[in-house]
């Protein structure tokens, strides 16, 4: 059968574009995914043993300040009002993350007021800061000083990325702000945040529920592309380097591995995500998904927990590492992609960018707008 569009990847990017094409353009779409489920990395599943819904590829908290994204999401789900907080263990003590006034006071054993803490941190920074940081470590020290960096950031980052933080670009640190108040809301700037009330997979089932959309799972594009026919466009949301046969070399990615445990008792750690900052603990985080849905009030005397370990698995890329070599290769791949008329490469893997879910939805809505403009012109 010939479809108007073929979309590779039933993740958030592919599913939003498919929904728009089917419902607005009334065109047929074949969505393929090599996994055995829709939803990409946002996929959620109910554990049959505990009845707890969890995010199979790692905890996902929806957060956005984009009215456009929220208006779109509201059509498929309500959010449950969950607000994300992160804690971290260092030398067997628990601290709040990102670093705030509580973290500073507990770590230094002080009772600073905001202005005192601010001035103290300026002095800490001045001791070791460099004027123009060229890597993650220098940037972090220039923003929080060496002692806080070495306690909370250095070993955690080295574990997470499996490389020396000096090898990471300075921009990676901008994701970790410092606060001089007691606000512990992780997504402090987000106008909306929460977990979809019926889980993420429910959204995907709704997005793809159209007679114009055919979903084929366990279908790898590279094993089947000769049999896939379309007359308008191929929309590909897999890794861009793989699409071009790694012509300019492989882009580097990091992945995580989750080890599942069942805890007897209603609550293992009292929060959804606990970070482990020290190098002698091999895992980076423990996730306890029951806390993501407080409104469900699970009462089963069991909790499912996940130990997170860093991993490099080229078969399952998660986060772009983005070294300077990667940036060069990416430019070459993007130039190639632009030369292909009937092809769009996007999404998290296609763009080789760390997109949160709201950015992925925006990218998908923008992609659809471009398709419409092209149709008007042709
Ligand atoms: C561990 C983790 C935690 C995250 N936490 C958050 C969070 O808390 N909040 C937030 O906003 N965002 C979070 N994100 C980001 C979020 O997961 C992404 O924004 C979103 O999943 C991107 O959607 P996508 O469709 O671009 O990519 P994906 O979800 O990766 O989907 C791509 C799909 O393409 C398929 N595919 C690839 N190659 C092929 C092929 N050759 N043939 C067929 N199918 C193929 C894959 O199987 C996959 O299903 C997190 C990401 C990760 C990895």
């Amino acid at each position: 059968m010939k479809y108007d569009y073929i979309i590779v990847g039933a993740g958030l990017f592919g599913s939003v574009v498919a929904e728009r094409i089917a419902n607005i353009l009334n065109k047929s779409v074949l969505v393929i995914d090599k996994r055995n489920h829709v939803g990409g990395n946002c996929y959620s599943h109910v554990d049959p043993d505990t009845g707890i819904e969890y995010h199979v590829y790692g905890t996902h908290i929806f957060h956005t300040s984009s009215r456009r994204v929220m208006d779109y999401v509201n059509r498929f789900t309500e959010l449950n009002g969950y607000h994300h907080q992160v804690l971290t263990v260092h030398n067997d003590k628990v601290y709040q993350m990102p670093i705030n006034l509580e973290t500073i006071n507990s770590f230094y054993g002080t009772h600073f007021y905001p202005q005192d803490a601010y001035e103290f941190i300026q002095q800490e920074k001045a001791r070791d800061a460099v004027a123009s940081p060229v890597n993650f470590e220098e940037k972090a020290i220039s923003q929080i000083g060496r002692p806080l960096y070495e306690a909370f950031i250095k070993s955690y980052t080295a574990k997470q990325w499996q490389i020396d933080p000096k090898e990471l670009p300075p921009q990676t640190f901008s994701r970790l702000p410092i606060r001089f108040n007691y606000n512990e809301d992780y997504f402090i700037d987000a106008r909306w945040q929460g977990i979809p009330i019926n889980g993420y997979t429910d959204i995907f089932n709704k997005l793809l529920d159209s007679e114009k959309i055919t979903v084929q799972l366990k279908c790898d594009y590279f094993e089947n592309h000769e049999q896939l026919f379309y007359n308008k466009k191929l929309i590909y949301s897999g890794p861009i380097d793989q699409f071009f046969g790694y012509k300019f070399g492989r882009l580097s990615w990091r992945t995580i591995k989750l080890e599942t445990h069942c805890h007897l008792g209603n609550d293992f750690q009292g929060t959804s995500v606990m970070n482990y900052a020290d190098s002698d603990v091999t895992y980076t985080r423990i996730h306890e998904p029951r806390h993501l849905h407080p409104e469900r009030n699970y009462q089963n005397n069991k909790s499912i927990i996940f130990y997170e370990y860093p991993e490099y698995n080229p078969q399952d890329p998660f986060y772009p590492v983005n070294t300077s070599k990667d940036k060069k290769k990416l430019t070459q791949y993007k130039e190639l992609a632009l030369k292909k008329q009937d092809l769009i490469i996007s999404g998290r893997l296609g763009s080789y960018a760390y997109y949160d879910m709201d950015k992925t939805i925006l990218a998908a809505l923008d992609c659809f707008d471009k398709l419409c403009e092209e149709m008007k012109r042709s």
Side-chain angles (χ1 to χ4, degrees), residues 7-15 32-43 55 57-64 84 175 187 195 200 204 216 218-224 236-239 242 254-256 258 285 287 308 315-319 346-351 353-361:
I7 297 184
V8 180
L12 196 53
F13 181 84
S15 301
I32 63 163
D33 203 296
K34 63 182 181 181
R35 288 176 172 163
N36 64 358
H37 59 75
V38 297
N41 278 5
C42 304
Y43 175 61
H55 308 154
Y57 297 93
T59 304
H60 275 66
I61 290 96
F62 182 81
H63 56 98
T64 191
H84 197 44
R175 289 178 73 87
F187 298 115
I195 307 292
Y200 287 100
F204 287 92
Q216 222 169 297
K218 295 196 251 177
C219 177
D220 190 319
Y221 173 72
F222 299 102
E223 286 163 19
N224 296 282
Y236 172 87
S237 67
Q242 189 180 14
R254 75 180 172 91
T255 304
I256 57 168
L258 295 172
R285 302 195 272 189
H287 304 254
E308 177 182 319
Q315 302 312 318
D316 206 5
F318 275 22
Y319 303 102
S346 191
R348 187 180 57 90
L349 302 168
S351 311
Y354 186 91
Y355 282 168
D356 279 326
M357 288 180 277
D358 62 335
K359 297 287 176 309
T360 304
I361 294 171

Side-chain angles (χ1 to χ4, degrees), residues 118-188:
Y118 176 79
E119 284 165 16
F120 175 75
I121 295 297
Q122 299 317 303
Q123 289 164 17
E124 290 286 85
K125 282 158 55 168
R127 278 202 279 148
D128 290 297
V130 291
S132 309
V134 295
N135 62 44
F136 180 98
E137 177 160 307
E138 288 182 2
K139 174 95 178 273
I141 291 173
S142 71
Q143 287 193 16
I144 63 175
R146 189 177 289 279
L148 287 170
Y149 167 71
E150 289 190 344
F152 298 115
I153 311 291
K154 187 178 179 177
S155 303
Y156 184 79
T157 306
K159 277 199 287 189
Q160 213 179 24
W161 292 86
Q162 297 280 285
I163 51 174
D164 187 322
K166 290 193 197 88
E167 304 283 310
L168 285 171
Q171 305 85 278
T172 313
F173 188 72
S174 351
R175 289 178 73 87
L176 307 165
I178 181 165
R179 296 176 189 157
F180 297 102
N181 57 38
Y182 289 103
N183 195 318
E184 54 188 318
D185 193 341
Y186 195 74
F187 298 115
I188 195 170

Side-chain angles (χ1 to χ4, degrees), residues 148-320:
L148 287 170
Y149 167 71
E150 289 190 344
F152 298 115
I153 311 291
K154 187 178 179 177
S155 303
Y156 184 79
T157 306
K159 277 199 287 189
Q160 213 179 24
W161 292 86
Q162 297 280 285
I163 51 174
D164 187 322
K166 290 193 197 88
E167 304 283 310
L168 285 171
Q171 305 85 278
T172 313
F173 188 72
S174 351
R175 289 178 73 87
L176 307 165
I178 181 165
R179 296 176 189 157
F180 297 102
N181 57 38
Y182 289 103
N183 195 318
E184 54 188 318
D185 193 341
Y186 195 74
F187 298 115
I188 195 170
D189 296 326
R191 199 159 158 206
W192 298 278
Q193 67 173 295
I195 307 292
I197 202 114
N198 295 319
Y200 287 100
T201 299
D202 176 69
I203 302 180
F204 287 92
N205 291 337
K206 288 178 183 153
L207 286 169
L208 297 167
D209 180 23
S210 160
E211 58 185 27
K212 289 281 170 190
I213 301 177
T214 306
V215 178
Q216 222 169 297
L217 299 174
K218 295 196 251 177
C219 177
D220 190 319
Y221 173 72
F222 299 102
E223 286 163 19
N224 296 282
H225 68 280
E226 276 157 17
Q227 296 97 55
L228 298 172
F229 302 109
Y230 58 96
N231 59 19
K232 298 224 179 305
K233 264 201 162 52
L234 172 70
I235 299 166
Y236 172 87
S237 67
I240 188 167
D241 53 350
Q242 189 180 14
F243 189 86
F244 293 109
Y246 307 109
K247 195 179 161 81
F248 304 115
R250 283 178 184 266
L251 294 167
S252 36
W253 299 86
R254 75 180 172 91
T255 304
I256 57 168
K257 182 177 77 180
L258 295 172
E259 196 180 88
T260 316
H261 293 257
C262 183
H263 165 73
L264 291 180
N266 266 331
D267 195 347
F268 170 70
Q269 61 180 13
T271 191
S272 60
V273 181
M274 182 71 82
N275 291 1
Y276 285 81
D278 299 336
S279 57
D280 56 341
V281 180
T282 51
Y283 43 86
T284 45
R285 302 195 272 189
I286 299 180
H287 304 254
E288 189 173 22
R290 67 175 310 114
H291 297 288
L292 298 171
H293 283 284
E295 78 287 0
R296 294 190 187 175
N297 198 18
Y298 297 115
Q299 289 296 337
N300 39 20
N301 215 25
K302 275 182 186 172
S303 194
I304 184 168
I305 56 173
F306 298 91
Y307 288 75
E308 177 182 319
Y309 294 89
E311 192 180 55
Y312 272 94
N313 175 2
Q315 302 312 318
D316 206 5
F318 275 22
Y319 303 102

